[in-house]
């Protein structure tokens, strides 16, 4: 029996989105690319309303907004619901400047040597996703977000 192998196409996965502005904010492995969504949104049959019942990171919703198409998104994962709200929101110039200033402060504080253990999420086999040094940096950034974000 011959085993069928499908050729993987990075241009149809999250990898394509990595340099596409807001679409590249989060690496979600099962996510599909904006190229795949646009293929279906920009057909001869123009969609007046789109329903995305498993919206994940909001790729379809954001593209629909950019194209002026009404879209309803449904998602069960509370983190992805929050993330999509952040990703699809319109920001004022003042908000963007404030985030840029805070980001600079957080990055400056994160580059200083760490002498304490910070909280890390209790994810089983977390080292599968992040190496120990990277996890320390992420935990340090998270700590700085929590403390400086309250200023």
């Amino acid at each position: 029996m011959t085993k069928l192998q499908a050729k993987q196409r990075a241009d149809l996965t999250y990898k394509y989105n990595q340099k596409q502005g807001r679409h590249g904010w989060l690496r979600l492995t099962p996510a599909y690319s904006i190229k795949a969504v646009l293929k279906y949104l920009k057909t001869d049959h123009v969609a007046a309303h789109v329903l995305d019942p498993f919206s994940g990171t909001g790729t379809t919703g954001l593209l629909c907004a950019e194209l002026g198409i009404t879209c309803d998104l449904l998602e069960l994962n509370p983190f992805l619901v929050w993330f999509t709200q952040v990703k699809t929101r319109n920001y004022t110039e003042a908000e963007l400047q404030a985030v840029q200033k805070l980001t600079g402060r957080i990055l400056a504080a994160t580059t200083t040597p760490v002498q304490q253990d910070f909280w890390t999420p209790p994810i089983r086999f977390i080292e599968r996703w992040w190496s120990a040094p990277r996890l320390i940096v992420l935990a340090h950034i998270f700590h700085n977000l929590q403390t400086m974000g309250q200023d």
Side-chain angles (χ1 to χ4, degrees):
M1 180 178 279
T2 304
K3 186 175 182 180
L4 294 176
Q5 291 186 344
K7 182 181 177 203
Q8 291 187 359
R9 293 191 45 193
D11 64 323
L12 298 179
T13 70
Y14 74 91
K15 292 178 183 180
Y16 182 84
N17 296 351
Q18 290 176 327
K19 295 182 181 174
Q20 303 294 328
R22 293 181 188 200
H23 297 286
W25 283 3
L26 176 70
R27 175 186 175 237
L28 185 64
T29 304
Y32 44 84
S33 76
I34 60 174
K35 183 177 180 180
V37 177
L38 286 172
K39 177 181 178 184
Y40 293 102
L41 292 178
K42 290 186 170 184
T43 61
D44 291 335
H45 174 73
V46 178
H49 194 113
V50 171
L51 171 64
D52 186 355
F54 307 99
S55 62
T57 63
T59 298
T60 300
L62 188 53
L63 286 171
C64 283
E66 291 169 359
L67 296 171
I69 299 170
T70 303
C71 184
D72 289 316
L73 305 175
L74 301 172
E75 178 56 57
L76 294 174
N77 182 320
F79 170 75
L80 294 178
V81 170
W82 169 82
F83 182 78
T84 297
Q85 290 170 344
V86 169
K87 181 178 169 181
T88 58
R89 184 170 165 238
N90 289 321
Y91 295 93
T92 66
E93 187 64 33
E95 288 172 321
L96 294 173
Q97 289 174 357
V99 167
Q100 187 175 23
K101 183 178 177 182
L102 180 60
T103 301
R105 287 179 51 214
I106 289 169
L107 290 176
T110 301
T111 57
T112 59
V114 180
Q115 299 299 322
Q116 68 185 82
D117 290 329
F118 294 117
W119 176 87
T120 56
I123 299 173
R124 185 179 164 147
F125 301 125
I126 195 168
E127 63 278 355
R128 179 174 75 186
W129 303 106
W130 297 289
S131 66
R134 172 118 352 136
L135 188 56
I136 290 168
V137 170
L138 289 172
H140 196 178
I141 291 170
F142 179 76
H143 170 78
N144 289 333
L145 279 168
Q146 298 295 346
T147 57
M148 290 183 194
Q150 297 172 3
D151 295 351

Short mmCIF file of all heavy atoms in Angstrom, two decimals, residues 39-81:
data_model
loop_
_atom_site.label_atom_id
_atom_site.label_comp_id
_atom_site.label_asym_id
_atom_site.label_seq_id
_atom_site.Cartn_x
_atom_site.Cartn_y
_atom_site.Cartn_z
N LYS A 39 -8.25 34.38 -1.00
CA LYS A 39 -8.64 33.60 -2.17
C LYS A 39 -10.15 33.40 -2.20
O LYS A 39 -10.78 33.47 -3.25
CB LYS A 39 -7.93 32.25 -2.16
CG LYS A 39 -8.33 31.34 -3.29
CD LYS A 39 -7.62 30.00 -3.22
CE LYS A 39 -8.10 29.11 -4.35
NZ LYS A 39 -7.53 27.78 -4.27
N TYR A 40 -10.74 33.19 -1.02
CA TYR A 40 -12.18 32.95 -0.97
C TYR A 40 -12.99 34.23 -0.85
O TYR A 40 -14.12 34.29 -1.31
CB TYR A 40 -12.50 31.99 0.19
CG TYR A 40 -11.95 30.62 -0.08
CD1 TYR A 40 -10.79 30.19 0.52
CD2 TYR A 40 -12.56 29.79 -1.01
CE1 TYR A 40 -10.25 28.95 0.22
CE2 TYR A 40 -12.03 28.55 -1.31
CZ TYR A 40 -10.88 28.13 -0.69
OH TYR A 40 -10.36 26.91 -0.99
N LEU A 41 -12.41 35.26 -0.26
CA LEU A 41 -13.15 36.52 -0.12
C LEU A 41 -13.17 37.33 -1.41
O LEU A 41 -14.10 38.09 -1.65
CB LEU A 41 -12.56 37.37 1.01
CG LEU A 41 -12.74 36.83 2.43
CD1 LEU A 41 -12.05 37.75 3.42
CD2 LEU A 41 -14.20 36.65 2.77
N LYS A 42 -12.14 37.18 -2.22
CA LYS A 42 -12.05 37.96 -3.46
C LYS A 42 -12.40 37.09 -4.67
O LYS A 42 -11.65 37.01 -5.62
CB LYS A 42 -10.65 38.53 -3.61
CG LYS A 42 -10.33 39.63 -2.63
CD LYS A 42 -8.98 40.24 -2.94
CE LYS A 42 -8.75 41.49 -2.13
NZ LYS A 42 -7.49 42.15 -2.48
N THR A 43 -13.56 36.48 -4.63
CA THR A 43 -14.03 35.68 -5.76
C THR A 43 -15.04 36.50 -6.55
O THR A 43 -15.39 37.62 -6.17
CB THR A 43 -14.69 34.38 -5.27
OG1 THR A 43 -15.81 34.73 -4.45
CG2 THR A 43 -13.72 33.52 -4.48
N ASP A 44 -15.54 35.94 -7.61
CA ASP A 44 -16.56 36.61 -8.41
C ASP A 44 -17.83 36.84 -7.58
O ASP A 44 -18.55 37.81 -7.78
CB ASP A 44 -16.89 35.80 -9.66
CG ASP A 44 -15.74 35.77 -10.64
OD1 ASP A 44 -14.92 36.71 -10.61
OD2 ASP A 44 -15.65 34.82 -11.43
N HIS A 45 -18.09 35.91 -6.68
CA HIS A 45 -19.25 36.04 -5.80
C HIS A 45 -18.80 36.80 -4.56
O HIS A 45 -18.10 36.27 -3.71
CB HIS A 45 -19.78 34.66 -5.41
CG HIS A 45 -20.88 34.72 -4.39
ND1 HIS A 45 -22.14 35.15 -4.69
CD2 HIS A 45 -20.88 34.43 -3.08
CE1 HIS A 45 -22.88 35.10 -3.59
NE2 HIS A 45 -22.13 34.67 -2.60
N VAL A 46 -19.17 38.05 -4.46
CA VAL A 46 -18.75 38.89 -3.34
C VAL A 46 -19.60 38.58 -2.12
O VAL A 46 -20.84 38.62 -2.19
CB VAL A 46 -18.86 40.39 -3.70
CG1 VAL A 46 -18.46 41.26 -2.53
CG2 VAL A 46 -18.01 40.71 -4.91
N ALA A 47 -18.95 38.27 -1.02
CA ALA A 47 -19.67 37.96 0.22
C ALA A 47 -20.21 39.25 0.83
O ALA A 47 -19.50 40.24 0.94
CB ALA A 47 -18.73 37.26 1.19
N ALA A 48 -21.47 39.22 1.25
CA ALA A 48 -22.06 40.36 1.93
C ALA A 48 -21.90 40.21 3.44
O ALA A 48 -21.86 41.19 4.18
CB ALA A 48 -23.54 40.49 1.57
N HIS A 49 -21.82 38.96 3.88
CA HIS A 49 -21.72 38.67 5.31
C HIS A 49 -20.99 37.35 5.47
O HIS A 49 -21.31 36.38 4.80
CB HIS A 49 -23.13 38.57 5.92
CG HIS A 49 -23.13 38.62 7.40
ND1 HIS A 49 -23.68 39.65 8.10
CD2 HIS A 49 -22.65 37.77 8.33
CE1 HIS A 49 -23.54 39.44 9.40
NE2 HIS A 49 -22.91 38.30 9.56
N VAL A 50 -20.02 37.32 6.37
CA VAL A 50 -19.23 36.11 6.60
C VAL A 50 -19.40 35.68 8.05
O VAL A 50 -19.40 36.51 8.96
CB VAL A 50 -17.72 36.35 6.30
CG1 VAL A 50 -16.87 35.18 6.73
CG2 VAL A 50 -17.52 36.65 4.82
N LEU A 51 -19.54 34.39 8.26
CA LEU A 51 -19.58 33.80 9.60
C LEU A 51 -18.36 32.90 9.72
O LEU A 51 -18.17 31.99 8.92
CB LEU A 51 -20.86 32.98 9.80
CG LEU A 51 -20.90 32.15 11.08
CD1 LEU A 51 -20.88 33.04 12.31
CD2 LEU A 51 -22.13 31.25 11.08
N ASP A 52 -17.53 33.17 10.73
CA ASP A 52 -16.35 32.34 10.99
C ASP A 52 -16.58 31.67 12.35
O ASP A 52 -16.32 32.28 13.40
CB ASP A 52 -15.08 33.18 10.99
CG ASP A 52 -13.81 32.34 11.13
OD1 ASP A 52 -13.92 31.12 11.33
OD2 ASP A 52 -12.72 32.91 11.06
N PRO A 53 -17.05 30.43 12.37
CA PRO A 53 -17.41 29.78 13.63
C PRO A 53 -16.22 29.30 14.47
O PRO A 53 -16.40 28.94 15.62
CB PRO A 53 -18.28 28.60 13.19
CG PRO A 53 -17.81 28.30 11.82
CD PRO A 53 -17.39 29.62 11.22
N PHE A 54 -15.04 29.29 13.92
CA PHE A 54 -13.83 28.90 14.66
C PHE A 54 -12.77 29.94 14.35
O PHE A 54 -11.80 29.69 13.64
CB PHE A 54 -13.38 27.50 14.24
CG PHE A 54 -14.48 26.48 14.34
CD1 PHE A 54 -15.20 26.09 13.21
CD2 PHE A 54 -14.83 25.94 15.56
CE1 PHE A 54 -16.23 25.17 13.30
CE2 PHE A 54 -15.86 25.02 15.67
CZ PHE A 54 -16.56 24.63 14.54
N SER A 55 -12.94 31.14 14.88
CA SER A 55 -12.19 32.30 14.40
C SER A 55 -10.73 32.35 14.83
O SER A 55 -9.97 33.13 14.26
CB SER A 55 -12.89 33.59 14.80
OG SER A 55 -12.95 33.69 16.21
N GLY A 56 -10.33 31.59 15.82
CA GLY A 56 -8.91 31.55 16.20
C GLY A 56 -8.36 32.93 16.49
O GLY A 56 -8.81 33.62 17.39
N THR A 57 -7.38 33.37 15.69
CA THR A 57 -6.73 34.66 15.93
C THR A 57 -7.38 35.81 15.16
O THR A 57 -6.83 36.91 15.12
CB THR A 57 -5.23 34.59 15.57
OG1 THR A 57 -5.10 34.32 14.17
CG2 THR A 57 -4.51 33.54 16.38
N GLY A 58 -8.51 35.59 14.54
CA GLY A 58 -9.25 36.67 13.90
C GLY A 58 -8.81 37.05 12.50
O GLY A 58 -9.15 38.11 12.01
N THR A 59 -8.08 36.18 11.84
CA THR A 59 -7.59 36.48 10.49
C THR A 59 -8.74 36.85 9.55
O THR A 59 -8.69 37.87 8.88
CB THR A 59 -6.80 35.27 9.92
OG1 THR A 59 -5.67 35.03 10.76
CG2 THR A 59 -6.34 35.52 8.50
N THR A 60 -9.77 36.02 9.53
CA THR A 60 -10.89 36.28 8.63
C THR A 60 -11.60 37.58 8.98
O THR A 60 -11.91 38.39 8.11
CB THR A 60 -11.88 35.10 8.66
OG1 THR A 60 -11.19 33.91 8.24
CG2 THR A 60 -13.07 35.34 7.76
N GLY A 61 -11.82 37.82 10.26
CA GLY A 61 -12.50 39.04 10.70
C GLY A 61 -11.74 40.30 10.33
O GLY A 61 -12.33 41.27 9.86
N LEU A 62 -10.44 40.28 10.51
CA LEU A 62 -9.62 41.45 10.18
C LEU A 62 -9.61 41.69 8.68
O LEU A 62 -9.74 42.83 8.22
CB LEU A 62 -8.19 41.27 10.71
CG LEU A 62 -7.27 42.47 10.61
CD1 LEU A 62 -7.87 43.71 11.24
CD2 LEU A 62 -5.93 42.15 11.25
N LEU A 63 -9.48 40.64 7.90
CA LEU A 63 -9.50 40.80 6.43
C LEU A 63 -10.86 41.29 5.95
O LEU A 63 -10.93 42.14 5.06
CB LEU A 63 -9.13 39.49 5.74
CG LEU A 63 -7.65 39.13 5.81
CD1 LEU A 63 -7.42 37.73 5.29
CD2 LEU A 63 -6.82 40.13 5.04
N CYS A 64 -11.93 40.77 6.55
CA CYS A 64 -13.27 41.24 6.17
C CYS A 64 -13.40 42.74 6.49
O CYS A 64 -13.93 43.49 5.67
CB CYS A 64 -14.34 40.45 6.90
SG CYS A 64 -14.64 38.81 6.21
N ALA A 65 -12.91 43.16 7.64
CA ALA A 65 -12.98 44.57 8.00
C ALA A 65 -12.21 45.42 6.99
O ALA A 65 -12.69 46.49 6.58
CB ALA A 65 -12.41 44.78 9.41
N GLU A 66 -11.03 44.94 6.59
CA GLU A 66 -10.24 45.68 5.60
C GLU A 66 -10.94 45.78 4.26
O GLU A 66 -10.75 46.74 3.53
CB GLU A 66 -8.88 45.00 5.44
CG GLU A 66 -7.98 45.13 6.67
CD GLU A 66 -6.74 44.26 6.61
OE1 GLU A 66 -6.55 43.51 5.63
OE2 GLU A 66 -5.94 44.30 7.57
N LEU A 67 -11.77 44.78 3.94
CA LEU A 67 -12.46 44.74 2.65
C LEU A 67 -13.88 45.31 2.73
O LEU A 67 -14.59 45.34 1.73
CB LEU A 67 -12.52 43.30 2.12
CG LEU A 67 -11.17 42.66 1.80
CD1 LEU A 67 -11.34 41.17 1.50
CD2 LEU A 67 -10.51 43.36 0.62
N GLY A 68 -14.31 45.73 3.92
CA GLY A 68 -15.65 46.28 4.09
C GLY A 68 -16.74 45.24 4.10
O GLY A 68 -17.89 45.53 3.75
N ILE A 69 -16.42 44.02 4.49
CA ILE A 69 -17.39 42.93 4.54
C ILE A 69 -17.80 42.70 5.99
O ILE A 69 -16.94 42.62 6.88
CB ILE A 69 -16.79 41.62 3.96
CG1 ILE A 69 -16.40 41.83 2.50
CG2 ILE A 69 -17.76 40.46 4.12
CD1 ILE A 69 -15.59 40.68 1.91
N THR A 70 -19.09 42.62 6.26
CA THR A 70 -19.57 42.33 7.61
C THR A 70 -19.18 40.91 7.98
O THR A 70 -19.29 39.99 7.17
CB THR A 70 -21.11 42.46 7.67
OG1 THR A 70 -21.46 43.78 7.25
CG2 THR A 70 -21.64 42.19 9.06
N CYS A 71 -18.72 40.73 9.22
CA CYS A 71 -18.24 39.42 9.64
C CYS A 71 -18.57 39.19 11.10
O CYS A 71 -18.39 40.08 11.93
CB CYS A 71 -16.72 39.33 9.42
SG CYS A 71 -16.02 37.72 9.81
N ASP A 72 -19.06 38.01 11.42
CA ASP A 72 -19.29 37.58 12.79
C ASP A 72 -18.30 36.48 13.12
O ASP A 72 -18.13 35.54 12.33
CB ASP A 72 -20.72 37.06 12.97
CG ASP A 72 -21.75 38.18 12.90
OD1 ASP A 72 -21.51 39.23 13.50
OD2 ASP A 72 -22.78 37.98 12.23
N LEU A 73 -17.66 36.61 14.28
CA LEU A 73 -16.65 35.65 14.70
C LEU A 73 -17.13 34.91 15.95
O LEU A 73 -17.71 35.54 16.84
CB LEU A 73 -15.33 36.35 15.02
CG LEU A 73 -14.73 37.23 13.94
CD1 LEU A 73 -13.49 37.93 14.47
CD2 LEU A 73 -14.39 36.42 12.71
N LEU A 74 -16.87 33.63 16.00
CA LEU A 74 -17.17 32.82 17.18
C LEU A 74 -15.90 32.07 17.57
O LEU A 74 -15.22 31.51 16.72
CB LEU A 74 -18.27 31.81 16.89
CG LEU A 74 -19.62 32.39 16.44
CD1 LEU A 74 -20.55 31.27 16.00
CD2 LEU A 74 -20.24 33.20 17.54
N GLU A 75 -15.59 32.06 18.86
CA GLU A 75 -14.40 31.36 19.35
C GLU A 75 -14.63 30.97 20.81
O GLU A 75 -15.15 31.78 21.58
CB GLU A 75 -13.15 32.25 19.22
CG GLU A 75 -11.87 31.64 19.73
CD GLU A 75 -11.53 30.31 19.08
OE1 GLU A 75 -11.43 30.26 17.84
OE2 GLU A 75 -11.35 29.32 19.81
N LEU A 76 -14.23 29.76 21.17
CA LEU A 76 -14.39 29.28 22.54
C LEU A 76 -13.20 29.62 23.43
O LEU A 76 -13.36 29.83 24.62
CB LEU A 76 -14.59 27.76 22.54
CG LEU A 76 -15.88 27.26 21.91
CD1 LEU A 76 -15.88 25.74 21.86
CD2 LEU A 76 -17.08 27.76 22.68
N ASN A 77 -12.01 29.65 22.88
CA ASN A 77 -10.80 29.87 23.66
C ASN A 77 -10.75 31.32 24.14
O ASN A 77 -10.64 32.24 23.34
CB ASN A 77 -9.58 29.55 22.79
CG ASN A 77 -8.27 29.69 23.52
OD1 ASN A 77 -8.07 30.60 24.31
ND2 ASN A 77 -7.36 28.77 23.24
N PRO A 78 -10.81 31.56 25.47
CA PRO A 78 -10.84 32.94 25.98
C PRO A 78 -9.61 33.75 25.60
O PRO A 78 -9.72 34.95 25.36
CB PRO A 78 -10.93 32.78 27.50
CG PRO A 78 -11.18 31.35 27.75
CD PRO A 78 -10.90 30.57 26.52
N PHE A 79 -8.44 33.12 25.54
CA PHE A 79 -7.24 33.85 25.15
C PHE A 79 -7.37 34.33 23.70
O PHE A 79 -7.06 35.47 23.39
CB PHE A 79 -5.98 32.99 25.29
CG PHE A 79 -4.77 33.64 24.67
CD1 PHE A 79 -4.15 34.71 25.29
CD2 PHE A 79 -4.29 33.22 23.44
CE1 PHE A 79 -3.05 35.35 24.71
CE2 PHE A 79 -3.19 33.83 22.85
CZ PHE A 79 -2.57 34.90 23.49
N LEU A 80 -7.85 33.47 22.81
CA LEU A 80 -7.98 33.85 21.41
C LEU A 80 -9.07 34.90 21.22
O LEU A 80 -8.95 35.77 20.35
CB LEU A 80 -8.23 32.63 20.53
CG LEU A 80 -7.05 31.64 20.46
CD1 LEU A 80 -7.41 30.43 19.62
CD2 LEU A 80 -5.80 32.32 19.94
N VAL A 81 -10.12 34.86 22.04
CA VAL A 81 -11.15 35.90 21.98
C VAL A 81 -10.51 37.24 22.35
O VAL A 81 -10.67 38.24 21.63
CB VAL A 81 -12.33 35.59 22.93
CG1 VAL A 81 -13.27 36.79 23.08
CG2 VAL A 81 -13.09 34.36 22.44
#
